[in-house]
Coordinates of all heavy atoms in Angstrom, one line a residue:
M1 N 55.1 108.8 136.6 CA 55.9 108.5 137.7 C 57.1 109.4 137.8 O 57.8 109.5 136.8 CB 56.4 107.0 137.6 CG 57.2 106.6 138.8 SD 57.5 104.8 138.8 CE 59.3 104.8 138.8
A2 N 57.4 110.0 138.9 CA 58.5 110.9 139.1 C 59.8 110.1 139.2 O 59.8 109.1 139.8 CB 58.3 111.8 140.3
K3 N 60.8 110.7 138.5 CA 62.2 110.1 138.6 C 62.9 110.5 139.9 O 62.7 111.6 140.4 CB 63.0 110.5 137.4 CG 62.4 109.9 136.1 CD 63.3 110.4 135.0 CE 62.8 110.0 133.7 NZ 63.7 110.3 132.5
T4 N 63.7 109.7 140.4 CA 64.5 110.0 141.6 C 65.8 110.7 141.1 O 66.5 110.2 140.3 CB 64.9 108.7 142.3 OG1 63.7 108.0 142.7 CG2 65.7 109.0 143.6
P5 N 66.1 111.9 141.7 CA 67.3 112.5 141.3 C 68.5 111.9 142.1 O 68.4 111.6 143.3 CB 67.1 114.0 141.8 CG 66.0 113.9 142.8 CD 65.2 112.7 142.5
V6 N 69.6 111.6 141.4 CA 70.8 111.0 142.0 C 72.0 111.7 141.6 O 72.1 112.3 140.5 CB 70.9 109.5 141.7 CG1 69.8 108.7 142.3 CG2 70.9 109.3 140.2
S7 N 73.1 111.6 142.4 CA 74.3 112.2 142.1 C 75.0 111.5 141.0 O 74.7 110.3 140.7 CB 75.3 112.3 143.3 OG 75.6 110.9 143.7
M8 N 76.1 112.0 140.4 CA 76.8 111.4 139.3 C 77.4 110.1 139.9 O 77.4 109.0 139.2 CB 77.8 112.3 138.7 CG 78.5 111.6 137.5 SD 79.4 112.7 136.4 CE 78.1 113.8 135.9
A9 N 78.0 110.2 141.0 CA 78.7 109.0 141.7 C 77.7 107.9 141.9 O 78.0 106.7 141.6 CB 79.3 109.4 143.0
E10 N 76.5 108.2 142.4 CA 75.5 107.2 142.6 C 75.0 106.6 141.3 O 74.8 105.4 141.2 CB 74.3 107.8 143.4 CG 73.2 106.8 143.7 CD 73.6 105.7 144.6 OE1 74.7 105.7 145.2 OE2 72.7 104.8 144.8
L11 N 74.8 107.4 140.3 CA 74.3 106.9 139.0 C 75.4 106.0 138.4 O 75.1 105.0 137.8 CB 74.0 108.1 138.1 CG 73.3 107.7 136.8 CD1 72.1 106.9 137.0 CD2 72.9 109.0 136.0
Q12 N 76.7 106.3 138.6 CA 77.7 105.5 138.1 C 77.7 104.1 138.8 O 77.8 103.1 138.2 CB 79.1 106.1 138.3 CG 79.4 107.2 137.3 CD 80.7 108.0 137.6 OE1 80.9 108.3 138.8 NE2 81.4 108.2 136.6
R13 N 77.5 104.1 140.1 CA 77.4 102.9 140.9 C 76.2 102.1 140.4 O 76.4 100.9 140.2 CB 77.3 103.2 142.4 CG 77.3 102.0 143.3 CD 76.9 102.3 144.7 NE 75.5 102.6 144.8 CZ 74.5 101.7 144.7 NH1 74.7 100.5 144.5 NH2 73.3 102.1 144.9
L14 N 75.0 102.7 140.2 CA 73.9 102.0 139.8 C 74.0 101.4 138.4 O 73.7 100.2 138.1 CB 72.6 102.9 139.8 CG 72.1 103.4 141.1 CD1 71.2 104.6 141.0 CD2 71.4 102.2 141.8
M15 N 74.7 102.1 137.5 CA 74.9 101.7 136.1 C 75.9 100.5 136.1 O 75.6 99.5 135.5 CB 75.5 102.8 135.3 CG 74.5 103.8 134.7 SD 73.2 103.0 133.7 CE 74.2 102.3 132.4
L16 N 76.9 100.6 136.9 CA 77.9 99.4 137.0 C 77.2 98.2 137.5 O 77.4 97.1 136.9 CB 79.1 99.8 137.8 CG 80.3 100.5 137.1 CD1 81.3 100.9 138.1 CD2 80.9 99.6 136.0
A17 N 76.4 98.3 138.5 CA 75.7 97.2 139.1 C 74.8 96.6 138.1 O 74.7 95.3 138.0 CB 75.0 97.6 140.4
E18 N 74.1 97.4 137.4 CA 73.1 96.9 136.3 C 73.9 96.2 135.2 O 73.5 95.2 134.7 CB 72.3 98.0 135.9 CG 71.2 97.6 134.9 CD 70.1 96.7 135.4 OE1 69.9 96.7 136.7 OE2 69.5 95.9 134.7
I19 N 74.9 96.8 134.7 CA 75.7 96.3 133.6 C 76.3 94.9 134.0 O 76.3 94.0 133.2 CB 76.8 97.2 133.1 CG1 76.2 98.5 132.4 CG2 77.8 96.5 132.3 CD1 77.2 99.6 132.2
R20 N 76.8 94.8 135.2 CA 77.4 93.6 135.7 C 76.4 92.4 135.8 O 76.9 91.3 136.0 CB 78.1 93.9 137.0 CG 79.4 94.7 136.8 CD 80.0 95.1 138.1 NE 81.2 95.9 137.9 CZ 81.7 96.6 138.9 NH1 81.1 96.6 140.1 NH2 82.8 97.2 138.7
T21 N 75.1 92.7 135.7 CA 74.2 91.6 135.8 C 74.0 90.8 134.5 O 73.4 89.8 134.4 CB 72.8 92.1 136.2 OG1 72.2 92.9 135.2 CG2 72.8 92.8 137.5
H22 N 74.6 91.4 133.4 CA 74.5 90.8 132.1 C 75.6 89.8 131.9 O 76.8 90.1 132.3 CB 74.5 91.9 131.0 CG 73.4 92.8 131.1 ND1 72.2 92.5 130.4 CD2 73.1 93.9 131.7 CE1 71.3 93.5 130.6 NE2 71.9 94.3 131.5
D23 N 75.3 88.7 131.2 CA 76.3 87.6 131.0 C 77.6 88.2 130.3 O 77.4 88.9 129.3 CB 75.7 86.5 130.1 CG 74.7 85.7 130.9 OD1 74.7 85.7 132.1 OD2 73.9 85.0 130.2
G24 N 78.7 87.8 130.8 CA 80.0 88.2 130.2 C 80.4 89.6 130.6 O 81.5 90.1 130.2
C25 N 79.6 90.4 131.4 CA 79.9 91.7 131.8 C 80.2 91.9 133.2 O 80.2 93.0 133.7 CB 78.8 92.7 131.3 SG 78.6 92.7 129.5
E26 N 80.4 90.8 133.9 CA 80.6 90.8 135.4 C 81.9 91.6 135.8 O 81.9 92.2 136.9 CB 80.7 89.4 135.9 CG 79.5 88.6 135.7 CD 79.4 87.9 134.4 OE1 80.3 88.1 133.5 OE2 78.4 87.2 134.2
D27 N 82.8 91.8 134.9 CA 84.1 92.4 135.2 C 84.2 93.8 134.6 O 85.3 94.4 134.6 CB 85.2 91.6 134.7 CG 85.4 90.3 135.4 OD1 85.0 90.2 136.6 OD2 85.8 89.3 134.8
V28 N 83.1 94.4 134.1 CA 83.2 95.8 133.6 C 83.6 96.7 134.8 O 83.1 96.5 135.9 CB 81.9 96.2 133.0 CG1 81.8 97.7 132.8 CG2 81.5 95.5 131.8
T29 N 84.6 97.5 134.6 CA 85.2 98.3 135.7 C 84.8 99.7 135.8 O 84.9 100.3 136.9 CB 86.8 98.2 135.6 OG1 87.1 98.8 134.3 CG2 87.3 96.8 135.6
D30 N 84.4 100.3 134.7 CA 84.1 101.8 134.8 C 83.2 102.3 133.7 O 83.2 101.7 132.6 CB 85.4 102.6 134.7 CG 85.3 103.9 135.4 OD1 84.3 104.3 136.0 OD2 86.3 104.7 135.2
V31 N 82.4 103.2 134.1 CA 81.5 103.9 133.1 C 81.6 105.4 133.3 O 82.0 105.8 134.4 CB 80.0 103.5 133.3 CG1 79.8 102.0 133.0 CG2 79.5 103.8 134.7
S32 N 81.3 106.1 132.3 CA 81.3 107.6 132.4 C 79.8 108.0 132.1 O 79.2 107.6 131.2 CB 82.2 108.2 131.4 OG 82.3 109.6 131.5
I33 N 79.4 108.9 133.0 CA 78.1 109.5 132.9 C 78.2 110.9 132.2 O 79.0 111.7 132.7 CB 77.3 109.6 134.2 CG1 77.3 108.2 134.9 CG2 76.0 110.2 134.1 CD1 76.5 107.2 134.2
Y34 N 77.4 111.2 131.3 CA 77.4 112.5 130.6 C 76.1 113.2 130.8 O 75.0 112.7 130.6 CB 77.6 112.3 129.1 CG 78.8 111.4 128.7 CD1 78.7 110.0 128.5 CD2 80.1 112.0 128.7 CE1 79.9 109.3 128.3 CE2 81.2 111.2 128.5 CZ 81.1 109.9 128.2 OH 82.2 109.1 128.0
H35 N 76.2 114.5 131.2 CA 75.1 115.3 131.3 C 74.5 115.7 129.9 O 75.2 116.2 129.1 CB 75.4 116.6 132.1 CG 74.3 117.5 132.3 ND1 74.4 118.9 132.2 CD2 73.0 117.3 132.6 CE1 73.2 119.4 132.4 NE2 72.4 118.5 132.7
V36 N 73.2 115.5 129.7 CA 72.6 115.8 128.4 C 71.7 117.0 128.6 O 70.9 117.0 129.5 CB 71.7 114.6 127.9 CG1 71.0 114.9 126.7 CG2 72.6 113.4 127.7
T37 N 71.9 118.0 127.7 CA 71.1 119.2 127.9 C 70.0 119.4 126.9 O 69.3 120.4 126.9 CB 72.0 120.5 127.9 OG1 72.8 120.5 126.6 CG2 73.0 120.5 129.0
D38 N 69.9 118.5 126.0 CA 68.9 118.5 124.9 C 67.5 118.3 125.6 O 67.3 117.2 126.1 CB 69.2 117.4 123.9 CG 68.1 117.4 122.8 OD1 67.2 118.2 122.8 OD2 68.3 116.6 121.8
E39 N 66.7 119.3 125.5 CA 65.4 119.3 126.1 C 64.5 118.2 125.5 O 63.4 117.8 126.2 CB 64.8 120.7 126.1 CG 65.5 121.6 127.0 CD 64.8 123.0 127.1 OE1 63.6 123.1 126.7 OE2 65.4 123.9 127.5
Q40 N 64.7 117.8 124.3 CA 63.9 116.8 123.7 C 64.3 115.3 124.1 O 63.6 114.4 123.8 CB 63.9 116.9 122.2 CG 63.2 118.3 121.8 CD 63.0 118.4 120.3 OE1 63.0 117.4 119.6 NE2 62.7 119.5 119.9
S41 N 65.4 115.2 124.8 CA 65.9 113.9 125.2 C 65.0 113.4 126.4 O 64.5 114.2 127.1 CB 67.3 114.0 125.7 OG 67.8 112.7 126.2
E42 N 64.8 112.1 126.4 CA 64.0 111.5 127.5 C 64.6 111.6 128.8 O 64.0 111.3 129.9 CB 63.7 110.0 127.1 CG 64.8 109.1 127.2 CD 64.5 107.7 126.9 OE1 64.1 107.0 127.7 OE2 64.6 107.3 125.7
S43 N 65.9 111.9 128.9 CA 66.6 111.9 130.1 C 67.7 113.0 130.1 O 68.1 113.4 129.0 CB 67.3 110.5 130.3 OG 68.0 110.5 131.5
N44 N 68.2 113.3 131.2 CA 69.3 114.4 131.2 C 70.7 113.8 131.4 O 71.6 114.4 131.8 CB 69.0 115.4 132.3 CG 69.2 114.9 133.8 OD1 69.3 113.7 134.0 ND2 69.3 115.8 134.7
W45 N 70.8 112.5 131.1 CA 72.1 111.8 131.1 C 72.2 110.7 130.1 O 71.2 110.2 129.6 CB 72.4 111.3 132.6 CG 71.4 110.3 133.0 CD1 70.2 110.5 133.7 CD2 71.5 108.8 132.9 NE1 69.5 109.3 133.9 CE2 70.3 108.3 133.5 CE3 72.4 108.0 132.4 CZ2 70.1 106.9 133.5 CZ3 72.2 106.6 132.4 CH2 71.1 106.1 133.0
S46 N 73.5 110.4 129.9 CA 73.8 109.3 129.0 C 75.1 108.5 129.6 O 75.7 109.1 130.4 CB 74.1 109.8 127.6 OG 74.4 108.7 126.7
V47 N 75.3 107.4 129.1 CA 76.4 106.6 129.7 C 77.3 106.0 128.6 O 76.9 105.8 127.5 CB 75.9 105.5 130.6 CG1 75.1 104.4 129.8 CG2 77.0 104.8 131.4
G48 N 78.6 105.9 128.9 CA 79.5 105.2 128.1 C 80.4 104.3 128.9 O 80.8 104.6 130.0
V49 N 80.7 103.1 128.4 CA 81.6 102.2 129.1 C 83.0 102.6 128.7 O 83.4 102.8 127.6 CB 81.4 100.7 128.6 CG1 82.4 99.8 129.2 CG2 80.0 100.3 128.9
I50 N 83.9 102.8 129.8 CA 85.3 103.2 129.6 C 86.2 102.2 130.2 O 87.4 102.4 130.0 CB 85.5 104.6 130.1 CG1 85.2 104.8 131.6 CG2 84.7 105.7 129.3 CD1 85.6 106.1 132.2
G51 N 85.7 101.2 130.8 CA 86.6 100.1 131.4 C 85.9 98.8 131.2 O 85.0 98.5 132.0
C52 N 86.3 98.0 130.3 CA 85.6 96.7 130.0 C 86.1 95.6 130.9 O 85.4 94.6 131.0 CB 85.8 96.3 128.6 SG 84.9 97.5 127.4
G53 N 87.2 95.7 131.5 CA 87.8 94.6 132.2 C 88.0 93.4 131.3 O 88.5 93.6 130.2
S54 N 87.5 92.2 131.7 CA 87.6 91.1 130.7 C 86.5 90.9 129.8 O 86.4 90.0 129.0 CB 87.8 89.8 131.6 OG 86.7 89.6 132.4
A55 N 85.5 91.8 129.9 CA 84.3 91.8 129.0 C 84.6 92.2 127.6 O 85.5 93.1 127.4 CB 83.2 92.7 129.6
A56 N 84.0 91.6 126.6 CA 84.2 92.0 125.2 C 83.5 93.4 125.1 O 82.4 93.6 125.6 CB 83.5 91.0 124.3
P57 N 84.2 94.3 124.5 CA 83.7 95.6 124.3 C 82.3 95.7 123.7 O 81.4 96.5 124.2 CB 84.7 96.3 123.4 CG 86.0 95.6 123.7 CD 85.6 94.2 123.9
D58 N 82.0 94.9 122.7 CA 80.6 94.9 122.1 C 79.6 94.5 123.2 O 78.5 95.1 123.2 CB 80.5 94.0 120.9 CG 81.2 94.6 119.7 OD1 81.5 95.9 119.7 OD2 81.5 93.9 118.7
A59 N 79.9 93.4 124.0 CA 79.0 92.9 124.9 C 78.8 94.0 126.0 O 77.6 94.2 126.5 CB 79.5 91.6 125.5
A60 N 79.8 94.7 126.4 CA 79.7 95.7 127.5 C 78.9 96.9 127.0 O 78.1 97.4 127.7 CB 81.2 96.2 127.9
N61 N 79.1 97.3 125.7 CA 78.3 98.4 125.2 C 76.8 98.0 125.1 O 75.9 98.8 125.3 CB 78.9 98.8 123.9 CG 80.2 99.6 124.1 OD1 80.3 100.3 125.1 ND2 81.1 99.4 123.2
R62 N 76.5 96.8 124.6 CA 75.1 96.3 124.6 C 74.5 96.3 125.9 O 73.3 96.8 126.1 CB 75.0 95.0 123.9 CG 75.2 95.0 122.4 CD 74.8 93.7 121.8 NE 75.6 92.5 122.3 CZ 76.7 92.2 121.8 NH1 77.3 92.8 120.8 NH2 77.3 91.1 122.3
A63 N 75.2 95.8 126.9 CA 74.7 95.8 128.3 C 74.5 97.2 128.8 O 73.5 97.5 129.5 CB 75.7 95.1 129.2
A64 N 75.4 98.1 128.5 CA 75.2 99.5 128.9 C 74.0 100.2 128.3 O 73.2 100.9 129.0 CB 76.4 100.4 128.5
I65 N 73.7 99.8 127.1 CA 72.5 100.3 126.4 C 71.2 99.9 127.1 O 70.3 100.6 127.4 CB 72.5 100.0 124.9 CG1 73.5 100.8 124.1 CG2 71.1 100.3 124.3 CD1 73.8 100.3 122.7
R66 N 71.2 98.5 127.4 CA 70.1 98.0 128.1 C 69.9 98.6 129.5 O 68.8 98.9 129.9 CB 70.2 96.5 128.1 CG 70.0 95.8 126.7 CD 69.8 94.3 126.8 NE 71.0 93.6 127.3 CZ 72.0 93.1 126.6 NH1 71.9 93.2 125.2 NH2 73.0 92.5 127.1
A67 N 71.0 98.7 130.2 CA 71.0 99.3 131.5 C 70.5 100.7 131.5 O 69.7 101.2 132.3 CB 72.4 99.2 132.2
Q68 N 71.0 101.4 130.5 CA 70.6 102.9 130.4 C 69.1 103.0 130.2 O 68.4 103.8 130.8 CB 71.4 103.5 129.2 CG 71.0 105.0 129.0 CD 71.9 105.6 128.0 OE1 72.9 106.1 128.3 NE2 71.5 105.5 126.7
I69 N 68.6 102.1 129.3 CA 67.1 102.2 129.0 C 66.3 101.9 130.3 O 65.4 102.6 130.6 CB 66.7 101.1 127.9 CG1 67.3 101.6 126.6 CG2 65.2 100.9 127.9 CD1 67.2 100.5 125.5
A70 N 66.7 100.9 131.1 CA 66.1 100.6 132.4 C 66.2 101.7 133.4 O 65.2 102.1 134.0 CB 66.6 99.3 132.9
L71 N 67.4 102.3 133.6 CA 67.6 103.2 134.6 C 67.1 104.6 134.3 O 66.8 105.4 135.2 CB 69.1 103.3 135.0 CG 69.6 102.0 135.6 CD1 71.1 102.1 136.0 CD2 68.8 101.6 136.8
R72 N 67.0 105.0 133.0 CA 66.5 106.3 132.6 C 65.0 106.4 133.0 O 64.6 107.6 133.2 CB 66.6 106.5 131.1 CG 68.0 107.0 130.6 CD 68.0 107.2 129.2 NE 69.1 108.1 128.8 CZ 69.4 108.4 127.6 NH1 68.6 108.0 126.6 NH2 70.3 109.2 127.3
R73 N 64.4 105.3 133.1 CA 63.0 105.4 133.6 C 62.8 105.8 135.0 O 61.8 106.3 135.5 CB 62.3 104.1 133.3 CG 62.1 103.7 131.9 CD 61.5 102.3 131.8 NE 61.5 102.0 130.4 CZ 61.8 100.8 129.9 NH1 62.2 99.8 130.8 NH2 61.8 100.5 128.7
K74 N 63.9 105.5 135.8 CA 63.9 105.7 137.3 C 64.6 106.9 137.8 O 64.3 107.4 138.8 CB 64.5 104.4 137.9 CG 63.7 103.2 137.6 CD 64.5 102.0 138.3 CE 63.8 100.7 138.0 NZ 64.5 99.6 138.6
Y75 N 65.7 107.3 137.1 CA 66.6 108.3 137.7 C 66.9 109.4 136.7 O 67.0 109.3 135.5 CB 68.0 107.6 138.0 CG 67.8 106.4 139.0 CD1 67.9 105.1 138.5 CD2 67.5 106.7 140.3 CE1 67.7 104.1 139.4 CE2 67.4 105.6 141.2 CZ 67.5 104.3 140.7 OH 67.3 103.2 141.6
D76 N 67.1 110.6 137.4 CA 67.6 111.8 136.7 C 68.9 112.2 137.4 O 69.1 112.0 138.6 CB 66.6 113.0 136.9 CG 65.7 113.1 135.7 OD1 66.0 112.6 134.6 OD2 64.6 113.7 135.8
L77 N 69.8 112.8 136.6 CA 71.1 113.2 137.2 C 70.9 114.5 137.9 O 70.3 115.5 137.3 CB 72.1 113.3 136.0 CG 73.5 113.8 136.4 CD1 74.2 112.8 137.3 CD2 74.3 114.1 135.1
L78 N 71.4 114.6 139.1 CA 71.4 115.9 139.9 C 72.4 116.8 139.1 O 73.6 116.4 138.9 CB 71.9 115.7 141.3 CG 70.8 115.2 142.2 CD1 71.5 114.9 143.6 CD2 69.7 116.3 142.4
T79 N 72.1 118.0 138.8 CA 73.0 118.8 138.1 C 73.5 120.0 138.9 O 74.3 120.8 138.4 CB 72.3 119.4 136.8 OG1 71.1 120.1 137.1 CG2 72.1 118.2 135.8
D80 N 73.0 120.2 140.1 CA 73.5 121.3 140.9 C 74.1 120.8 142.1 O 73.9 119.9 142.7 CB 72.3 122.2 141.3 CG 71.7 123.0 140.1 OD1 72.5 123.3 139.2 OD2 70.5 123.2 140.1

């Protein structure tokens, strides 16, 4: 299945929405998307939580990992 290319801003929006579906992570405020250039990586991007809001940092990071796994199957970062 081909992945849908999306802009960094769109990928950030998608990640935040997905993270916020996890219990205790409804108030996560910001994520950072990183372009990955390693050709052996399953995806050309990675994510980090940079604004937890009222969420516990560990919970926010676990939610980000689960969201990243789900969204990497669907989306690639537009790099140009």
Side-chain angles (χ1 to χ4, degrees):
M1 180 171 125
K3 295 181 184 182
T4 303
V6 293
S7 68
M8 187 165 298
E10 179 66 7
L11 190 52
Q12 286 173 315
R13 187 192 68 74
L14 290 163
M15 281 298 302
L16 273 175
E18 183 67 24
I19 289 169
R20 289 173 178 162
T21 66
H22 296 272
D23 288 339
C25 296
E26 298 84 359
D27 295 328
V28 170
T29 60
D30 202 8
V31 296
S32 185
I33 304 295
Y34 305 96
H35 180 222
V36 173
T37 58
D38 181 356
E39 292 184 16
Q40 295 191 13
S41 177
E42 68 180 274
S43 180
N44 71 344
W45 61 274
S46 183
V47 66
V49 175
I50 58 173
C52 292
S54 64
D58 286 345
N61 287 324
R62 283 191 303 274
I65 290 167
R66 290 191 296 266
Q68 180 174 269
I69 290 167
L71 295 183
R72 277 184 163 179
R73 294 180 186 131
K74 299 177 184 181
Y75 301 104
D76 266 337
L77 179 63
L78 281 173
T79 57
D80 293 328

